[in-house]
Amino acid sequence: MIIVLFGPPGAGKGTQAAVIQKEFNLPQLATGDMLRAAVQAQSEVGMQAKSYMDNGELVPDEVVVGIISDRISQPDCRHGFLLDGFPRTTAQAVALDRMLTNKNRRISQVISLEVDEDELLTRIVKRKKEAGEQGRSDDNPETFKKRMDGYYKQTAPVLKYYATKNLLKTLDGMQPISTVSEQIRGVIKSLTS
Ligand code: AMP
């Protein structure tokens, strides 16, 4: 099973991905986490990605596509995986389709979490406050605005791409975390039954 968890920054993708990963035993592939680890490790990918991330911009497609291509070839992704934060551009979505077709596989479902922009900012500010010193440097109102601009311009069109392919399921991400988890669970179970 291959699930894409989709939504703007702060929609709850990471929170829900952690629940799904545990319950359905699907590895969580979060490009944001992978890129932050690469920056920390000062690897070549990290060096390429850092300035974009600091500015709240998307990292170039070829960099993230390369990371995902390597990752989904790992043995633990054999039975499926959960994508969190990828694809974020139509070019990435097309590249993903191509990678999967080459492996004779396809996306099972795209689940999109919808949350109002005011609420997203509230969540980002809260996440920063709770994380303190360890928090993400891009969780601040100025960078958030740039991340949202990028979301509307580059990422939102991906929804149309998947809607056309009849793969899109939209959920209300304003609901309590446990309610959203329950609905995601329902969607995934309906795929296996
Ligand atoms: P996230 O943790 O998903 O919010 O991602 C943090 C940052 O990593 C983003 O603001 C981008 O700079 C970068 N990033 C993560 N995933 C992608 C992606 N699929 N394409 C381009 N940039 C990404």
Side-chain angles (χ1 to χ4, degrees), residues 7-10 13-14 30-36 49-61 63-65 68 84-89 92 124 127 136 138-139 143 146-147 154-155:
K13 298 187 295 293
T31 38
D33 290 348
M34 293 178 194
L35 289 167
R36 276 185 290 278
K50 189 177 184 322
S51 62
Y52 295 99
M53 296 173 77
D54 287 345
N55 285 326
E57 292 166 14
L58 290 184
V59 172
D61 288 333
V63 177
V64 269
V65 167
I68 285 294
D84 161 7
F86 181 93
R88 257 167 147 115
T89 64
Q92 291 177 19
I124 294 278
R127 179 163 80 183
R136 288 171 48 168
D138 60 351
D139 274 349
T143 316
K146 287 203 207 151
R147 287 158 70 198
Q154 294 163 277
T155 307

Side-chain angles (χ1 to χ4, degrees), residues 155-171:
T155 307
V158 179
L159 284 175
K160 215 176 214 165
Y161 178 84
Y162 286 130
T164 310
K165 289 177 177 283
N166 248 332
L167 281 173
L168 187 63
K169 179 88 195 161
T170 301
L171 298 179

Side-chain angles (χ1 to χ4, degrees), residues 21-99:
Q21 168 172 41
K22 217 164 123 197
E23 224 172 284
F24 294 91
N25 207 10
L26 285 177
Q28 173 191 0
L29 278 43
T31 38
D33 290 348
M34 293 178 194
L35 289 167
R36 276 185 290 278
V39 170
Q40 197 87 53
Q42 300 187 336
S43 68
E44 194 167 334
V45 164
M47 314 272 218
Q48 288 173 313
K50 189 177 184 322
S51 62
Y52 295 99
M53 296 173 77
D54 287 345
N55 285 326
E57 292 166 14
L58 290 184
V59 172
D61 288 333
E62 59 273 20
V63 177
V64 269
V65 167
I67 296 180
I68 285 294
S69 170
D70 290 346
R71 184 65 188 86
I72 66 175
S73 305
Q74 301 291 312
D76 65 329
C77 290
R78 212 175 31 231
H79 302 299
F81 48 87
L82 169 67
L83 289 168
D84 161 7
F86 181 93
R88 257 167 147 115
T89 64
T90 306
Q92 291 177 19
V94 171
L96 175 62
D97 277 347
R98 202 166 296 146
M99 279 180 239

